[in-house]
Amino acid sequence: MAIIFDSLSNTITIHTDHSSYQMLIDRYGYLLHLYYGQRSELIMDQSLSYADRGFSGNPYAAGLDRTYSLDFLPQEFPVQGSGDFRSPMLVIRDHSGVYGCDLHYDHHEIREGKYSLEKLPAVYAEAKDDDAQTLAVTLTNERTGIEATLLYGVLPHLDMITRAVTITNRGTNSVTVCRLASACLDFTDGDYDLMTFYGRHTMERIPERRALSHGEFTIGSRRGYSSHQFNPMMILLDRDTSETSGRCWSMQFVYSGGFRAVASLDQYDQTRVQMGLSDEKFSYPLQPGEELTSPEVIMSFSSTGLETLSHNLHKCIRTHLCRGIYRDASRPLLLNSWEACYFDFTGEKIAELAKDARSLGIDMVVLDDGWFGRRNDDFRSLGDWYANEEKLGCTLSELIQKVNDQGVSFGIWLEPEMISEDSDLYRAHPDWALAIPGEKPVRARNQLVLDLSRPEIADAVYASVCHVLDQGNVRYLKWDCNRSICEAFSCHADDQGKVLYDYMTGLYGILERLNNRYPDVLIEGCSGGGGRFDAGMLYYTPQIWCSDNTDATDRLMIQYGTSFGYPASAVGAHVSACPNHLTGRITSLKTRGIVAMSGTYGFELDPSLLSEEEKEDIRMQIADYRRFENLIRTGLYYRLTDPAISSVCAWEFAAEDGSEALICAVRINKIDQDSAVKIRPRGLLSDVVYKESAAGREYEAGRLAEEGLLLSADCDSALYHFTCIT
Ligand code: GLA
C-alpha cells in the first residue's frame, strides 16, 4: 500500500520506494503538511510548533488559542484569506467581488491506479504498475460552495508523486478563480538552495543555483507558452547537495502555457515552494456546477543527490509520460532541410537531399519551412497549408513519393497555431487571430496567433493538419510555434480571463486527436527551438527540438541544463554545417556528432557541400550511433563535469544493469596548450572488468572509477564505450 490513512493520528502518508510524504488532518479541519523526505514509517508531526506570534491571525475555530495560526503552519493547500500571508495556491473572488474562502477537510478517498486529467496531459500508470495509487482529498467552503479536490498520484517504484487540483463550484452563484497553483511544499526550516533554468532564444535552460533568502523568489512565463526564458522546473536542495550526495526536491510542470513558480523564505525562516498557472490575464469564472482543473506537477525527492533525482525524472518522463510507439522505439535518423536550404529550395533539391541522405545511411528527410502558400520568407502564408507547387515543381504527394523512391521516409514542418496577415486564411477569417478589437495587434516574426480557445478554430486547425498528413506517406511532423501570445483576447470568449487556459486545452485537444489518428507519425515539438520544452508537450511529442542553436559548444551547456529534468530521448539534436550559421564557430565533425548523438541525432546541413572524407566520417558516425542508440535512449545519464566551471564537458550513459556504458567528453574551448584531463565514470558495477571498444583496453571497474580516463591534451573530444566482460 503506497497510501496509508492512520485514523489514530489522522495522518495520510504516501510512500514511494525511497521517500515518504505526509499530511495531517488537524483538530480544526485544516490540512497541514508534515513531511516530504527520505522514507519513514513514523508520524512526523515534530515539524509542527505553536507559539503566540505577533501579527499572525488565528482562525475562529481555534477559539482564544493565539498559538494557532495558518501564517506559520505548513499547509497542503494554502488559500488566500485564511490568515496565511505567504503565497496562496488559490485565490477566489465570489459573485459580489469578495476575495478569499476558508477551506476545511471534508473527506478523502484512496483509489487504485493513477488519476488522469480530462483535457490535460498527465503522468500515467500501466497495468504493470499495480502499486500506483491516487489520493483525493476534498476540502470545502460552506459560504461559496467551493469544493477543492486535491489529487495526489503515486508511482512508488519511480519515486514519483504528482499533484493537481480540481475546483468545483457547488454553490448557487458564480465564483471566479483568480489564482490556481498545483503543488506547494512547506518546510518549517530554511537553509536551502534553489536551482532554476533560465535562458533566451538560442540559449535555453541554463542552470542557476542560489541560496534562498528572505522574500519571494519567482520565476515564470507570462508569454502564453512555457518559454525560452524560464523552464517550468525547479529544484530545492540542501546547501551541500551535489550530484552524488545530499537531499533535493524537484517540481516540474506538466503544462506548456504560462506558469508561476515561487520559492520563499518567510519571517520565521520557513520555506515554501509552489508551482502552478500564471496569474497573468487569468481569472476563470465558474458557474454553479462547473469545475476547473489545474495542470499537474511532478514531484520527486532524492537523498542521494541530483543524479538520482534526474534519473527519477528521466524515467518518469520517458516511460510514464511519453506515449505511442516512439516511447520505446528507435527514432528515425533525419536530415532536416532548414539549415541545409532555409527557404531556398525546389522539389528537385529536396529529392537530391533524399538521395544524399540515403547514401549516408540517414532514414528520413524533413521538409522544413517554405513549402506552402507563397512562403519564400517569413512574412507570409502561415495558415495556407497547401503546397507551393510552382516552387516544388510538383504536388506534395508527388514530392513525398519522390523522397520515398530514394529509399528514405518523409517528414514535414508545420506551424499550425499561427496565421500570417498575408494569407488566404487571414483574408477569409481576420477574426481568427488573437487581437484586441480597435487596437493593432503586436506582431512577432510577422505573424499572429490563432485563437485555439475557440473549438471551431481548433477543429479547422486539426482538419488542415490532417489534410497535409493525408497527402502521402508522411512519417514525421515537426510542430513549430514561433511566437508568444501578447493579446489574450478572443472575440468569442464569455470571459477573457479564460482564454490562455482554454487556448492550451484547445492545443492539447488537437494533439490528442492527431496522436489517435496517426499513431505511426512521430511528432517533434518545437518553438523557435526549445521555447516550449516541457513535460506537457512531451505527453504528445516524445521529442522536442532543443534549441535553434546547433553550435556544438553552446549545445554543451544547453543539453547539460536540459538533462536535469529531461531524458536524452526527448532532446532534438542535429549535426549542422561548419562554421556554424549562428555563431560562426568551427567545431570538428567528431565533436558535433558526439553532441548531437547525445540527443535524438540527425543532420541539418546540405550533404552535397561535404567532402568525400566528411561523408565517410558521417557514415562511420552513423554506424556508431546505431550501436549506441538504445543505450543513449534508455540508459542512466550521469553528468560527469559541470561545463560552467570545467574545461571539459563530460557525461555518460550507463545501462541500468551496469553491463555497458558510453562516456562522452568534449573540450569546451580548445587551445593549444591544454592539459590532459581525467574523467571519472560512475554507475559501473564494482569488482568486474570492462573493456573499452576503441582501444581494446581492459579496466578494473574500481580502478576506472577512482583513476578515471585520460582525455589527452591533443584531443578535443572522445567517446569511450565500455562493456562488462566478467
Ligand atoms: C523555428 C525552428 C527552426 C525552423 C524555423 C523555420 O525557428 O526552431 O528549426 O523550423 O522555425 O521557420
Side-chain angles (χ1 to χ4, degrees), residues 295-347:
E296 174 169 280
V297 164
I298 301 175
M299 301 191 298
S300 192
F301 166 78
S302 152
S303 60
T304 49
L306 286 158
E307 177 174 289
T308 313
L309 193 77
S310 294
H311 292 168
N312 295 347
L313 297 172
H314 293 179
K315 201 162 188 184
C316 177
I317 289 179
R318 193 166 56 74
T319 63
H320 287 75
L321 187 69
C322 292
R323 300 174 299 166
I325 56 168
Y326 284 107
R327 183 186 78 166
D328 302 316
S330 305
R331 311 288 168 77
L333 205 170
L334 57 89
L335 170 64
N336 186 292
S337 70
W338 183 241
E339 287 191 38
C341 319
Y342 297 100
F343 291 108
D344 187 15
F345 56 83
T346 59

Short mmCIF file of all heavy atoms in Angstrom, two decimals, residues 295-347:
data_model
loop_
_atom_site.label_atom_id
_atom_site.label_comp_id
_atom_site.label_asym_id
_atom_site.label_seq_id
_atom_site.Cartn_x
_atom_site.Cartn_y
_atom_site.Cartn_z
N PRO A 295 -3.22 22.12 -14.14
CA PRO A 295 -2.29 21.12 -14.70
C PRO A 295 -1.57 20.40 -13.57
O PRO A 295 -1.62 20.83 -12.41
CB PRO A 295 -1.32 21.97 -15.51
CG PRO A 295 -2.00 23.28 -15.72
CD PRO A 295 -2.86 23.49 -14.52
N GLU A 296 -0.88 19.35 -13.93
CA GLU A 296 -0.21 18.51 -12.93
C GLU A 296 1.22 19.00 -12.66
O GLU A 296 1.88 19.52 -13.55
CB GLU A 296 -0.18 17.09 -13.49
CG GLU A 296 0.58 16.09 -12.68
CD GLU A 296 0.32 14.67 -13.19
OE1 GLU A 296 -0.73 14.11 -12.84
OE2 GLU A 296 1.15 14.12 -13.93
N VAL A 297 1.66 18.79 -11.44
CA VAL A 297 3.08 18.97 -11.11
C VAL A 297 3.65 17.60 -10.74
O VAL A 297 3.04 16.85 -9.99
CB VAL A 297 3.26 19.97 -9.94
CG1 VAL A 297 4.66 19.87 -9.34
CG2 VAL A 297 3.04 21.39 -10.42
N ILE A 298 4.83 17.30 -11.31
CA ILE A 298 5.53 16.07 -10.95
C ILE A 298 6.53 16.43 -9.86
O ILE A 298 7.31 17.38 -10.03
CB ILE A 298 6.31 15.50 -12.15
CG1 ILE A 298 5.39 15.21 -13.33
CG2 ILE A 298 7.09 14.26 -11.75
CD1 ILE A 298 6.15 14.76 -14.59
N MET A 299 6.50 15.69 -8.76
CA MET A 299 7.47 15.96 -7.68
C MET A 299 8.32 14.71 -7.48
O MET A 299 7.83 13.59 -7.58
CB MET A 299 6.75 16.24 -6.36
CG MET A 299 5.82 17.44 -6.44
SD MET A 299 5.24 17.94 -4.82
CE MET A 299 4.35 16.50 -4.29
N SER A 300 9.58 14.94 -7.21
CA SER A 300 10.41 13.81 -6.82
C SER A 300 11.39 14.26 -5.74
O SER A 300 11.67 15.45 -5.60
CB SER A 300 11.16 13.25 -8.03
OG SER A 300 11.73 12.00 -7.68
N PHE A 301 11.87 13.28 -5.00
CA PHE A 301 12.81 13.56 -3.91
C PHE A 301 13.97 12.58 -4.03
O PHE A 301 13.77 11.41 -4.34
CB PHE A 301 12.12 13.38 -2.55
CG PHE A 301 13.10 13.32 -1.41
CD1 PHE A 301 13.68 14.49 -0.92
CD2 PHE A 301 13.49 12.10 -0.86
CE1 PHE A 301 14.61 14.44 0.11
CE2 PHE A 301 14.42 12.05 0.17
CZ PHE A 301 14.98 13.22 0.66
N SER A 302 15.16 13.07 -3.76
CA SER A 302 16.33 12.17 -3.70
C SER A 302 17.15 12.54 -2.49
O SER A 302 17.33 13.72 -2.18
CB SER A 302 17.15 12.34 -4.98
OG SER A 302 18.51 12.04 -4.75
N SER A 303 17.64 11.52 -1.78
CA SER A 303 18.56 11.79 -0.66
C SER A 303 19.98 11.49 -1.09
O SER A 303 20.90 11.55 -0.30
CB SER A 303 18.17 10.95 0.55
OG SER A 303 18.25 9.58 0.19
N THR A 304 20.15 11.16 -2.38
CA THR A 304 21.50 10.82 -2.86
C THR A 304 21.88 11.73 -4.04
O THR A 304 22.49 11.29 -5.00
CB THR A 304 21.57 9.34 -3.28
OG1 THR A 304 20.44 9.06 -4.13
CG2 THR A 304 21.52 8.42 -2.09
N GLY A 305 21.49 12.97 -3.94
CA GLY A 305 21.98 13.97 -4.88
C GLY A 305 21.17 14.13 -6.15
O GLY A 305 20.17 13.45 -6.39
N LEU A 306 21.64 15.06 -6.97
CA LEU A 306 20.93 15.47 -8.18
C LEU A 306 20.89 14.37 -9.23
O LEU A 306 19.95 14.28 -10.02
CB LEU A 306 21.62 16.70 -8.78
CG LEU A 306 21.35 17.99 -8.00
CD1 LEU A 306 22.44 19.03 -8.28
CD2 LEU A 306 19.98 18.55 -8.34
N GLU A 307 21.91 13.55 -9.23
CA GLU A 307 21.99 12.48 -10.22
C GLU A 307 20.77 11.55 -10.10
O GLU A 307 20.10 11.25 -11.09
CB GLU A 307 23.27 11.74 -9.91
CG GLU A 307 23.60 10.56 -10.71
CD GLU A 307 25.01 10.11 -10.29
OE1 GLU A 307 25.97 10.82 -10.62
OE2 GLU A 307 25.12 9.08 -9.61
N THR A 308 20.47 11.12 -8.87
CA THR A 308 19.33 10.22 -8.68
C THR A 308 18.03 10.95 -9.02
O THR A 308 17.12 10.37 -9.61
CB THR A 308 19.27 9.75 -7.20
OG1 THR A 308 20.55 9.33 -6.81
CG2 THR A 308 18.26 8.65 -7.02
N LEU A 309 17.96 12.22 -8.65
CA LEU A 309 16.75 12.98 -8.96
C LEU A 309 16.52 12.99 -10.47
O LEU A 309 15.41 12.75 -10.94
CB LEU A 309 16.90 14.41 -8.43
CG LEU A 309 15.62 15.23 -8.41
CD1 LEU A 309 14.76 14.81 -7.22
CD2 LEU A 309 15.93 16.72 -8.29
N SER A 310 17.58 13.26 -11.22
CA SER A 310 17.44 13.28 -12.69
C SER A 310 17.07 11.89 -13.21
O SER A 310 16.24 11.77 -14.11
CB SER A 310 18.74 13.74 -13.35
OG SER A 310 19.00 15.08 -13.03
N HIS A 311 17.66 10.85 -12.64
CA HIS A 311 17.30 9.50 -13.09
C HIS A 311 15.80 9.27 -12.90
O HIS A 311 15.12 8.72 -13.76
CB HIS A 311 18.09 8.43 -12.34
CG HIS A 311 19.56 8.44 -12.67
ND1 HIS A 311 20.49 7.75 -11.95
CD2 HIS A 311 20.25 9.08 -13.64
CE1 HIS A 311 21.69 7.94 -12.47
NE2 HIS A 311 21.57 8.75 -13.49
N ASN A 312 15.29 9.69 -11.74
CA ASN A 312 13.85 9.52 -11.47
C ASN A 312 13.01 10.26 -12.52
O ASN A 312 12.05 9.73 -13.06
CB ASN A 312 13.48 10.10 -10.10
CG ASN A 312 14.13 9.35 -8.95
OD1 ASN A 312 14.66 8.26 -9.13
ND2 ASN A 312 14.09 9.94 -7.76
N LEU A 313 13.39 11.52 -12.77
CA LEU A 313 12.60 12.34 -13.69
C LEU A 313 12.69 11.80 -15.11
O LEU A 313 11.69 11.74 -15.84
CB LEU A 313 13.09 13.80 -13.66
CG LEU A 313 12.91 14.50 -12.31
CD1 LEU A 313 13.60 15.87 -12.30
CD2 LEU A 313 11.43 14.68 -11.97
N HIS A 314 13.89 11.40 -15.51
CA HIS A 314 14.05 10.86 -16.87
C HIS A 314 13.17 9.63 -17.07
O HIS A 314 12.48 9.50 -18.06
CB HIS A 314 15.51 10.44 -17.11
CG HIS A 314 16.46 11.59 -17.13
ND1 HIS A 314 17.82 11.43 -17.31
CD2 HIS A 314 16.28 12.93 -17.00
CE1 HIS A 314 18.41 12.62 -17.30
NE2 HIS A 314 17.50 13.54 -17.09
N LYS A 315 13.21 8.75 -16.09
CA LYS A 315 12.45 7.51 -16.22
C LYS A 315 10.96 7.79 -16.26
O LYS A 315 10.22 7.21 -17.04
CB LYS A 315 12.79 6.58 -15.06
CG LYS A 315 12.47 5.16 -15.37
CD LYS A 315 13.19 4.26 -14.42
CE LYS A 315 13.03 2.83 -14.85
NZ LYS A 315 13.63 1.92 -13.93
N CYS A 316 10.54 8.68 -15.40
CA CYS A 316 9.11 9.01 -15.35
C CYS A 316 8.66 9.58 -16.69
O CYS A 316 7.64 9.17 -17.25
CB CYS A 316 8.87 10.00 -14.22
SG CYS A 316 7.16 10.53 -14.13
N ILE A 317 9.42 10.53 -17.22
CA ILE A 317 9.00 11.17 -18.49
C ILE A 317 9.09 10.18 -19.64
O ILE A 317 8.18 10.07 -20.46
CB ILE A 317 9.88 12.41 -18.75
CG1 ILE A 317 9.49 13.50 -17.76
CG2 ILE A 317 9.73 12.89 -20.19
CD1 ILE A 317 10.26 14.77 -17.87
N ARG A 318 10.16 9.43 -19.68
CA ARG A 318 10.38 8.52 -20.80
C ARG A 318 9.37 7.38 -20.82
O ARG A 318 8.89 6.99 -21.89
CB ARG A 318 11.80 7.95 -20.70
CG ARG A 318 12.32 7.25 -21.91
CD ARG A 318 13.82 7.04 -21.81
NE ARG A 318 14.23 6.32 -20.61
CZ ARG A 318 14.06 5.03 -20.40
NH1 ARG A 318 13.47 4.29 -21.30
NH2 ARG A 318 14.48 4.46 -19.28
N THR A 319 9.02 6.86 -19.64
CA THR A 319 8.19 5.65 -19.64
C THR A 319 6.77 5.86 -19.13
O THR A 319 5.93 4.98 -19.30
CB THR A 319 8.85 4.54 -18.79
OG1 THR A 319 8.92 4.99 -17.43
CG2 THR A 319 10.24 4.21 -19.26
N HIS A 320 6.49 7.01 -18.49
CA HIS A 320 5.15 7.19 -17.94
C HIS A 320 4.51 8.53 -18.29
O HIS A 320 3.49 8.91 -17.73
CB HIS A 320 5.16 7.03 -16.41
CG HIS A 320 5.34 5.60 -16.01
ND1 HIS A 320 6.52 4.94 -16.09
CD2 HIS A 320 4.44 4.69 -15.54
CE1 HIS A 320 6.38 3.69 -15.69
NE2 HIS A 320 5.12 3.51 -15.35
N LEU A 321 5.15 9.24 -19.26
CA LEU A 321 4.53 10.47 -19.74
C LEU A 321 4.50 10.43 -21.28
O LEU A 321 3.45 10.66 -21.88
CB LEU A 321 5.31 11.70 -19.25
CG LEU A 321 4.64 13.03 -19.55
CD1 LEU A 321 3.36 13.20 -18.74
CD2 LEU A 321 5.58 14.19 -19.24
N CYS A 322 5.64 10.11 -21.89
CA CYS A 322 5.66 9.94 -23.35
C CYS A 322 4.80 8.72 -23.69
O CYS A 322 4.73 7.77 -22.91
CB CYS A 322 7.08 9.70 -23.85
SG CYS A 322 8.13 11.14 -23.66
N ARG A 323 4.17 8.79 -24.86
CA ARG A 323 3.27 7.69 -25.24
C ARG A 323 3.54 7.28 -26.69
O ARG A 323 4.37 7.85 -27.36
CB ARG A 323 1.81 8.14 -25.11
CG ARG A 323 1.44 8.57 -23.71
CD ARG A 323 0.04 9.14 -23.69
NE ARG A 323 -0.09 10.32 -24.53
CZ ARG A 323 -1.24 10.85 -24.91
NH1 ARG A 323 -2.37 10.31 -24.53
NH2 ARG A 323 -1.27 11.93 -25.67
N GLY A 324 2.77 6.32 -27.15
CA GLY A 324 2.83 5.94 -28.56
C GLY A 324 4.01 5.04 -28.87
O GLY A 324 4.81 4.71 -28.00
N ILE A 325 4.10 4.68 -30.15
CA ILE A 325 5.13 3.69 -30.50
C ILE A 325 6.53 4.23 -30.28
O ILE A 325 7.45 3.49 -29.99
CB ILE A 325 4.99 3.16 -31.95
CG1 ILE A 325 5.00 4.32 -32.95
CG2 ILE A 325 3.75 2.31 -32.13
CD1 ILE A 325 5.17 3.84 -34.38
N TYR A 326 6.69 5.55 -30.39
CA TYR A 326 8.04 6.10 -30.26
C TYR A 326 8.47 6.27 -28.80
O TYR A 326 9.56 6.73 -28.53
CB TYR A 326 8.18 7.41 -31.04
CG TYR A 326 8.29 7.11 -32.51
CD1 TYR A 326 7.23 7.36 -33.38
CD2 TYR A 326 9.43 6.52 -33.01
CE1 TYR A 326 7.33 7.05 -34.72
CE2 TYR A 326 9.55 6.20 -34.36
CZ TYR A 326 8.49 6.47 -35.21
OH TYR A 326 8.60 6.14 -36.53
N ARG A 327 7.62 5.92 -27.88
CA ARG A 327 8.06 5.91 -26.50
C ARG A 327 9.23 4.93 -26.36
O ARG A 327 10.25 5.24 -25.75
CB ARG A 327 6.90 5.47 -25.58
CG ARG A 327 7.28 5.50 -24.13
CD ARG A 327 6.20 4.93 -23.27
NE ARG A 327 6.23 3.47 -23.33
CZ ARG A 327 5.58 2.68 -22.50
NH1 ARG A 327 4.82 3.21 -21.57
NH2 ARG A 327 5.65 1.38 -22.59
N ASP A 328 9.06 3.74 -26.97
CA ASP A 328 10.07 2.69 -26.80
C ASP A 328 10.90 2.45 -28.06
O ASP A 328 11.95 1.81 -27.99
CB ASP A 328 9.41 1.37 -26.39
CG ASP A 328 8.60 1.54 -25.10
OD1 ASP A 328 9.12 2.18 -24.17
OD2 ASP A 328 7.45 1.07 -25.04
N ALA A 329 10.40 2.92 -29.21
CA ALA A 329 11.09 2.56 -30.46
C ALA A 329 12.24 3.52 -30.76
O ALA A 329 12.26 4.65 -30.28
CB ALA A 329 10.09 2.60 -31.61
N SER A 330 13.18 3.03 -31.58
CA SER A 330 14.26 3.90 -32.06
C SER A 330 13.63 5.02 -32.87
O SER A 330 12.65 4.81 -33.59
CB SER A 330 15.18 3.15 -33.02
OG SER A 330 15.66 2.01 -32.41
N ARG A 331 14.22 6.18 -32.78
CA ARG A 331 13.70 7.32 -33.54
C ARG A 331 14.38 7.36 -34.91
O ARG A 331 15.56 7.01 -35.03
CB ARG A 331 13.99 8.63 -32.80
CG ARG A 331 13.58 8.62 -31.32
CD ARG A 331 12.08 8.67 -31.14
NE ARG A 331 11.72 8.37 -29.76
CZ ARG A 331 11.84 9.23 -28.74
NH1 ARG A 331 12.32 10.45 -28.95
NH2 ARG A 331 11.47 8.89 -27.53
N PRO A 332 13.65 7.84 -35.94
CA PRO A 332 14.29 7.94 -37.25
C PRO A 332 15.42 8.95 -37.24
O PRO A 332 15.32 10.00 -36.61
CB PRO A 332 13.15 8.40 -38.16
CG PRO A 332 12.10 8.96 -37.26
CD PRO A 332 12.26 8.29 -35.93
N LEU A 333 16.48 8.60 -37.92
CA LEU A 333 17.64 9.50 -38.03
C LEU A 333 17.34 10.41 -39.22
O LEU A 333 17.17 9.93 -40.34
CB LEU A 333 18.83 8.60 -38.31
CG LEU A 333 20.21 9.05 -37.94
CD1 LEU A 333 21.15 7.89 -38.10
CD2 LEU A 333 20.63 10.22 -38.75
N LEU A 334 17.23 11.69 -38.99
CA LEU A 334 16.70 12.53 -40.06
C LEU A 334 17.66 13.61 -40.54
O LEU A 334 18.56 14.03 -39.84
CB LEU A 334 15.37 13.13 -39.62
CG LEU A 334 15.32 13.97 -38.34
CD1 LEU A 334 15.61 15.42 -38.63
CD2 LEU A 334 13.94 13.82 -37.70
N LEU A 335 17.39 14.03 -41.79
CA LEU A 335 18.10 15.17 -42.37
C LEU A 335 17.05 16.26 -42.57
O LEU A 335 16.07 16.06 -43.29
CB LEU A 335 18.70 14.76 -43.73
CG LEU A 335 19.27 15.89 -44.59
CD1 LEU A 335 20.47 16.55 -43.90
CD2 LEU A 335 19.73 15.34 -45.95
N ASN A 336 17.25 17.38 -41.90
CA ASN A 336 16.26 18.46 -41.94
C ASN A 336 16.69 19.53 -42.94
O ASN A 336 17.86 19.89 -43.00
CB ASN A 336 16.13 19.06 -40.53
CG ASN A 336 15.03 20.09 -40.45
OD1 ASN A 336 15.14 21.15 -41.04
ND2 ASN A 336 13.99 19.79 -39.72
N SER A 337 15.73 20.04 -43.71
CA SER A 337 16.09 20.98 -44.78
C SER A 337 16.38 22.40 -44.29
O SER A 337 16.86 23.22 -45.06
CB SER A 337 14.97 21.02 -45.83
OG SER A 337 13.82 21.67 -45.27
N TRP A 338 16.08 22.71 -43.00
CA TRP A 338 16.16 24.11 -42.58
C TRP A 338 17.56 24.68 -42.74
O TRP A 338 17.80 25.55 -43.59
CB TRP A 338 15.62 24.27 -41.16
CG TRP A 338 15.60 25.72 -40.71
CD1 TRP A 338 16.27 26.24 -39.65
CD2 TRP A 338 14.89 26.81 -41.31
NE1 TRP A 338 16.02 27.59 -39.55
CE2 TRP A 338 15.18 27.96 -40.55
CE3 TRP A 338 14.03 26.92 -42.40
CZ2 TRP A 338 14.64 29.23 -40.86
CZ3 TRP A 338 13.50 28.17 -42.71
CH2 TRP A 338 13.80 29.30 -41.95
N GLU A 339 18.52 24.20 -42.00
CA GLU A 339 19.86 24.78 -42.12
C GLU A 339 20.55 24.34 -43.41
O GLU A 339 21.61 24.86 -43.76
CB GLU A 339 20.71 24.47 -40.88
CG GLU A 339 20.28 25.28 -39.68
CD GLU A 339 21.26 25.21 -38.51
OE1 GLU A 339 22.47 25.20 -38.72
OE2 GLU A 339 20.77 25.17 -37.37
N ALA A 340 19.94 23.36 -44.12
CA ALA A 340 20.50 22.95 -45.40
C ALA A 340 20.15 23.98 -46.48
O ALA A 340 20.98 24.35 -47.29
CB ALA A 340 19.98 21.57 -45.79
N CYS A 341 18.89 24.46 -46.47
CA CYS A 341 18.42 25.32 -47.57
C CYS A 341 17.67 26.57 -47.11
O CYS A 341 17.39 27.44 -47.93
CB CYS A 341 17.43 24.57 -48.46
SG CYS A 341 17.82 22.89 -48.84
N TYR A 342 17.24 26.63 -45.85
CA TYR A 342 16.31 27.67 -45.38
C TYR A 342 15.12 27.72 -46.35
O TYR A 342 14.53 26.67 -46.61
CB TYR A 342 17.04 29.01 -45.21
CG TYR A 342 18.12 28.89 -44.13
CD1 TYR A 342 19.46 28.72 -44.47
CD2 TYR A 342 17.79 28.87 -42.79
CE1 TYR A 342 20.44 28.56 -43.50
CE2 TYR A 342 18.77 28.72 -41.80
CZ TYR A 342 20.08 28.56 -42.16
OH TYR A 342 21.03 28.40 -41.19
N PHE A 343 14.77 28.92 -46.89
CA PHE A 343 13.58 28.99 -47.76
C PHE A 343 13.91 28.68 -49.23
O PHE A 343 13.02 28.68 -50.07
CB PHE A 343 12.97 30.39 -47.68
CG PHE A 343 12.35 30.71 -46.34
CD1 PHE A 343 12.93 31.60 -45.47
CD2 PHE A 343 11.15 30.11 -45.97
CE1 PHE A 343 12.36 31.90 -44.24
CE2 PHE A 343 10.57 30.39 -44.74
CZ PHE A 343 11.17 31.29 -43.88
N ASP A 344 15.18 28.45 -49.49
CA ASP A 344 15.65 28.42 -50.86
C ASP A 344 15.81 26.99 -51.37
O ASP A 344 16.90 26.41 -51.28
CB ASP A 344 17.00 29.18 -50.88
CG ASP A 344 17.48 29.37 -52.29
OD1 ASP A 344 16.68 29.18 -53.22
OD2 ASP A 344 18.69 29.67 -52.45
N PHE A 345 14.73 26.42 -51.85
CA PHE A 345 14.83 25.04 -52.39
C PHE A 345 13.77 24.83 -53.45
O PHE A 345 12.85 25.64 -53.61
CB PHE A 345 14.66 24.01 -51.26
CG PHE A 345 13.37 24.15 -50.48
CD1 PHE A 345 12.18 23.60 -50.95
CD2 PHE A 345 13.35 24.86 -49.29
CE1 PHE A 345 11.00 23.74 -50.24
CE2 PHE A 345 12.17 25.01 -48.58
CZ PHE A 345 10.99 24.45 -49.05
N THR A 346 13.92 23.75 -54.17
CA THR A 346 12.90 23.30 -55.12
C THR A 346 12.58 21.85 -54.75
O THR A 346 13.28 21.25 -53.92
CB THR A 346 13.46 23.31 -56.56
OG1 THR A 346 14.60 22.42 -56.57
CG2 THR A 346 13.87 24.71 -56.99
N GLY A 347 11.58 21.30 -55.42
CA GLY A 347 11.27 19.89 -55.19
C GLY A 347 12.47 19.02 -55.56
O GLY A 347 12.78 18.02 -54.89
#
